[in-house]
Amino acid sequence: MKAAALVAIETSTPIILGDQRIEDTSENLKACVAQTFSDLLSPLGGGWQRIFDDFRVGIESLNEPPEAVDPSLKMVIVFGRPGAGKTTISNEALASLGAKNPSLDVLGLDLDDCIPQWMRENFARGVYPTLAERQAFAEEAIGYVEASIEARKETTTTCVISFSFVNDDLRDAFRERYPMATWALVDTTPADAQMRISSREGHFYKGDPKMSGASSAGPTAESKHLSEWEFASVNFAHVCLDGTKPVIDNAAVLLKSIGD
């Protein structure tokens, strides 16, 4: 729902809520429970068979593979340490591409838009998301990408995604869903990235507490070891952008990955 709402807002599409009244939901739930008990008590009357059929349909739906990504869609994922300059480089490349070819529809997505408020507040407090929270975020972010592509499927041919992808689990989720994507790493040292983070005003991400000096919320069940803040090494094919070079130079390299 959140992914669809974000896309609707970006495309100025009216949002119409289609939920039913809570009273109707309660009545439907009561009817469903009553039917289940009736089926359990009627093994020879087809009740057990109906329950079996419902389970079978549910299991089959869980095993259905996601709809295949349009093979003609070109996707570039710009990633790197927080503060590396990913969004700035991506926006420069998109602006340059739009200036050269105004009729070309290139979809630019910053996955920071998908980060929920509670996670932003935790980052600011020095609390890193758990593996389960990151996995849930990956599903939400992929849903956002899918909905954004669907909203412009008639015109867009290229999608540029910007996000840190600090941990392997997030990378793996996107690599599995989008195996055709080209990954472009904005390569910076931890010190350089932290310096840029420290110069930003009003941003929720303050960086690794042991480098930024941010106060940790203390040991809790939700807190993760500080090593999870560290940018995982990249062990798959990718384009390398030198984070010490000017934005315009890196944007030019990125344009080559996009196919300009």
Side-chain angles (χ1 to χ4, degrees):
M1 291 177 64
K2 179 181 177 183
L6 286 172
V7 173
I9 292 171
E10 289 180 357
T11 58
S12 300
T13 301
I15 300 175
I16 301 175
L17 297 179
D19 281 349
Q20 62 184 4
R21 297 184 307 154
I22 188 63
E23 294 84 357
D24 295 337
T25 301
S26 298
E27 290 301 319
N28 290 339
L29 182 60
K30 290 177 183 178
C32 183
V33 171
Q35 183 62 54
T36 300
F37 273 109
S38 175
D39 287 343
L40 285 171
L41 298 174
S42 307
L44 301 180
W48 287 13
Q49 183 62 47
R50 284 190 291 272
I51 292 176
F52 173 80
D53 290 342
D54 287 343
F55 272 109
R56 178 178 53 79
V57 171
I59 292 173
E60 288 177 353
S61 65
L62 289 175
N63 292 330
E64 288 181 358
E67 184 177 348
V69 180
D70 184 353
S72 66
L73 177 71
K74 183 174 295 184
M75 179 178 289
V76 177
I77 299 177
V78 185
F79 72 122
R81 289 184 174 86
K86 305 173 295 295
T87 302
T88 303
I89 293 171
S90 298
N91 289 343
E92 177 66 26
L94 292 173
S96 177
L97 193 59
K100 293 179 180 179
N101 191 347
S103 64
L104 187 64
D105 182 20
V106 180
L107 178 62
L109 300 175
D110 184 350
L111 298 190
D112 275 1
D113 294 339
C114 298
I115 299 178
Q117 184 59 35
W118 64 265
M119 189 178 289
R120 293 169 182 253
E121 293 172 357
N122 277 354
F123 274 129
R125 292 168 50 227
V127 179
Y128 202 75
T130 65
L131 174 60
E133 289 168 347
R134 297 198 304 270
Q135 290 172 333
F137 171 78
E139 291 184 11
E140 183 74 30
I142 289 174
Y144 172 60
V145 172
E146 303 279 278
S148 300
I149 293 173
E150 177 65 22
R152 287 163 59 172
K153 65 179 181 180
E154 300 299 331
T155 57
T156 191
T157 58
T158 304
C159 177
V160 178
I161 297 172
S162 173
F163 194 63
S164 297
F165 289 98
V166 170
N167 306 103
D168 284 329
D169 47 87
L170 286 172
R171 299 173 191 173
D172 291 344
F174 270 74
R175 291 182 67 207
E176 180 179 356
R177 180 63 184 123
Y178 305 110
M180 78 301 186
T182 297
W183 290 68
L185 171 66
V186 182
D187 193 20
T188 56
T189 66
D192 284 344
Q194 186 59 51
M195 182 176 64
R196 295 175 185 174
I197 289 173
S198 299
S199 67
R200 298 190 299 198
E201 295 183 3
H203 198 279
F204 64 88
Y205 192 91
K206 307 303 180 184
D208 186 337
K210 67 184 179 184
M211 293 188 65
S212 65
S215 60
S216 173
T220 67
E222 292 79 18
S223 297
K224 300 298 289 182
H225 191 273
L226 288 179
S227 64
E228 296 219 317
W229 291 84
E230 297 175 3
F231 190 78
S233 59
V234 184
N235 300 313
F236 54 86
H238 62 277
V239 176
C240 191
L241 306 177
D242 187 344
T244 65
K245 290 186 176 181
V247 170
I248 193 169
D249 291 352
N250 280 319
V253 176
L254 185 58
L255 283 174
K256 293 180 181 178
S257 299
I258 296 174
D260 177 48

